Structures are given as structure tokens and as C-alpha cells.
Coordinates of all heavy atoms in Angstrom, one line a residue:
F19 N 133.4 62.7 193.0 CA 133.3 63.6 191.9 C 134.1 64.8 192.1 O 134.1 65.7 191.3 CB 131.8 64.0 191.7 CG 130.9 62.9 191.4 CD1 130.1 62.3 192.3 CD2 130.9 62.3 190.1 CE1 129.2 61.2 192.0 CE2 130.1 61.2 189.8 CZ 129.2 60.7 190.8
V20 N 134.8 64.9 193.3 CA 135.6 66.0 193.6 C 137.1 65.7 193.6 O 137.5 64.6 194.2 CB 135.2 66.6 195.0 CG1 136.1 67.8 195.4 CG2 133.7 67.0 195.0
S21 N 137.9 66.4 193.0 CA 139.4 66.1 192.9 C 140.0 66.5 194.3 O 139.4 67.2 195.1 CB 140.0 67.0 191.8 OG 139.5 66.7 190.5
R22 N 141.2 65.8 194.5 CA 141.9 66.1 195.8 C 142.1 67.6 196.0 O 141.9 68.0 197.1 CB 143.2 65.4 195.8 CG 143.1 63.9 195.9 CD 144.5 63.2 195.9 NE 145.5 63.8 196.9 CZ 145.5 63.5 198.1 NH1 144.7 62.5 198.6 NH2 146.3 64.0 199.0
H23 N 142.6 68.3 195.1 CA 142.7 69.7 195.2 C 141.9 70.3 194.0 O 142.4 70.3 192.9 CB 144.1 70.2 195.2 CG 144.9 69.6 196.3 ND1 144.7 69.9 197.6 CD2 146.0 68.8 196.3 CE1 145.5 69.3 198.4 NE2 146.3 68.6 197.6
H24 N 140.7 70.7 194.2 CA 139.7 70.9 193.1 C 139.7 72.4 192.6 O 139.8 72.7 191.4 CB 138.3 70.6 193.5 CG 137.4 70.4 192.4 ND1 136.9 69.2 192.0 CD2 136.8 71.3 191.6 CE1 136.1 69.3 191.0 NE2 136.0 70.6 190.7
A25 N 139.7 73.3 193.6 CA 139.6 74.7 193.2 C 140.2 75.6 194.3 O 140.4 75.1 195.5 CB 138.1 75.2 193.0
L26 N 140.6 76.8 193.9 CA 141.1 77.8 194.9 C 140.4 79.1 194.8 O 140.1 79.6 193.8 CB 142.6 78.0 194.5 CG 143.4 79.0 195.4 CD1 143.6 78.4 196.8 CD2 144.7 79.4 194.7
L27 N 140.0 79.7 196.0 CA 139.4 81.0 196.1 C 140.5 81.9 196.7 O 141.1 81.6 197.7 CB 138.2 80.9 197.0 CG 137.0 80.1 196.4 CD1 136.8 78.9 197.3 CD2 135.7 80.9 196.4
V28 N 140.6 83.1 196.1 CA 141.6 84.0 196.5 C 141.0 85.4 196.7 O 140.2 85.9 195.8 CB 142.8 84.2 195.4 CG1 143.8 85.2 195.9 CG2 143.4 82.8 195.2
R29 N 141.2 86.0 197.8 CA 140.6 87.4 198.1 C 141.7 88.4 198.0 O 142.8 88.2 198.4 CB 140.1 87.4 199.6 CG 138.8 86.7 199.8 CD 138.3 87.0 201.2 NE 137.8 88.4 201.3 CZ 137.8 89.1 202.4 NH1 138.1 88.5 203.5 NH2 137.3 90.3 202.4
N30 N 141.3 89.6 197.5 CA 142.1 90.7 197.4 C 141.2 92.0 197.6 O 140.5 92.4 196.7 CB 142.9 90.8 196.1 CG 143.8 92.0 196.0 OD1 144.4 92.4 197.0 ND2 143.8 92.7 194.9
G31 N 141.2 92.5 198.8 CA 140.2 93.6 199.1 C 138.8 93.0 199.0 O 138.5 92.0 199.7
N32 N 138.0 93.7 198.2 CA 136.6 93.3 198.0 C 136.4 92.3 196.8 O 135.3 92.1 196.3 CB 135.7 94.5 197.9 CG 135.5 95.2 199.2 OD1 135.6 94.7 200.2 ND2 135.2 96.5 199.0
T33 N 137.6 91.9 196.3 CA 137.5 91.1 195.1 C 137.9 89.6 195.4 O 138.8 89.3 196.2 CB 138.6 91.6 194.0 OG1 138.3 92.9 193.7 CG2 138.5 90.7 192.8
T34 N 137.1 88.7 194.9 CA 137.3 87.3 195.2 C 137.3 86.5 193.8 O 136.4 86.6 193.0 CB 136.2 86.7 196.1 OG1 136.1 87.3 197.3 CG2 136.5 85.2 196.3
F35 N 138.4 85.9 193.5 CA 138.6 85.1 192.3 C 138.5 83.6 192.7 O 139.0 83.1 193.7 CB 140.0 85.3 191.7 CG 140.1 86.6 190.9 CD1 140.7 87.7 191.4 CD2 139.6 86.6 189.6 CE1 140.7 88.9 190.7 CE2 139.7 87.8 188.8 CZ 140.2 88.9 189.4
L36 N 137.8 82.9 191.8 CA 137.7 81.4 191.8 C 138.6 80.9 190.7 O 138.5 81.2 189.5 CB 136.3 81.0 191.7 CG 136.1 79.5 191.5 CD1 136.4 78.7 192.7 CD2 134.6 79.2 191.0
M37 N 139.5 79.9 191.0 CA 140.3 79.3 190.0 C 140.2 77.7 190.1 O 140.4 77.1 191.2 CB 141.8 79.6 190.3 CG 142.1 81.0 189.9 SD 143.7 81.6 190.5 CE 143.2 82.1 192.1
D38 N 139.8 77.1 189.0 CA 139.8 75.7 188.9 C 141.2 75.1 188.8 O 142.0 75.7 188.1 CB 139.0 75.2 187.7 CG 138.9 73.7 187.6 OD1 138.1 73.1 188.3 OD2 139.7 73.1 186.8
L39 N 141.6 74.1 189.6 CA 142.9 73.6 189.6 C 143.1 72.3 188.7 O 143.6 71.3 189.2 CB 143.3 73.3 191.1 CG 143.3 74.5 192.0 CD1 143.6 74.1 193.4 CD2 144.2 75.6 191.5
N40 N 142.6 72.4 187.5 CA 142.7 71.3 186.6 C 142.0 70.1 187.1 O 142.4 69.0 187.0 CB 144.1 71.0 186.2 CG 144.6 71.7 185.0 OD1 144.0 72.5 184.5 ND2 145.8 71.4 184.6
S41 N 140.8 70.3 187.7 CA 140.0 69.3 188.3 C 139.5 68.3 187.2 O 139.4 68.7 186.0 CB 138.8 69.8 189.1 OG 138.0 70.5 188.2
S42 N 139.2 67.1 187.6 CA 138.8 66.1 186.6 C 137.3 66.4 186.1 O 137.1 66.2 184.9 CB 138.8 64.7 187.3 OG 140.0 64.3 187.7
N43 N 136.5 66.8 187.0 CA 135.1 67.1 186.6 C 134.7 68.5 186.4 O 133.5 68.8 186.1 CB 134.1 66.4 187.5 CG 134.3 64.8 187.5 OD1 134.4 64.3 186.5 ND2 134.3 64.2 188.7
G44 N 135.6 69.4 186.6 CA 135.4 70.8 186.3 C 134.7 71.6 187.5 O 134.2 71.0 188.4
T45 N 134.7 72.8 187.4 CA 134.1 73.8 188.4 C 133.1 74.7 187.6 O 133.4 75.2 186.5 CB 135.2 74.6 189.1 OG1 136.2 73.8 189.8 CG2 134.5 75.5 190.1
F46 N 131.9 74.9 188.2 CA 130.9 75.6 187.5 C 130.4 76.7 188.4 O 130.3 76.6 189.7 CB 129.7 74.6 187.2 CG 130.1 73.5 186.3 CD1 130.7 72.4 186.8 CD2 129.9 73.7 184.9 CE1 131.1 71.4 185.9 CE2 130.3 72.6 184.0 CZ 130.8 71.5 184.5

């Protein structure tokens, strides 16, 4: 149910972004 490269988490200071990488089943 998980894509090969599913999501990316990026930190900048105290900020953390979550990005879905066009996964097949989505990120929630």
C-alpha cells in the first residue's frame, strides 16, 4: 500500500513540511 517513494519531509528551522510524491494511495 506504500509507493516506492511515497512522501518527503523537509525541515527548515522549526518548520517541517510534508509533501506527497504523487503516491498511488495518497498521504493523510
Side-chain angles (χ1 to χ4, degrees):
F19 299 103
V20 179
S21 299
R22 284 179 56 82
H23 301 295
H24 197 108
L26 179 69
L27 293 112
V28 179
R29 285 189 69 202
N30 181 41
N32 290 332
T33 302
T34 302
F35 280 101
L36 169 70
M37 287 166 274
D38 181 83
L39 301 178
N40 270 4
S41 63
S42 299
N43 294 317
T45 302
F46 299 82

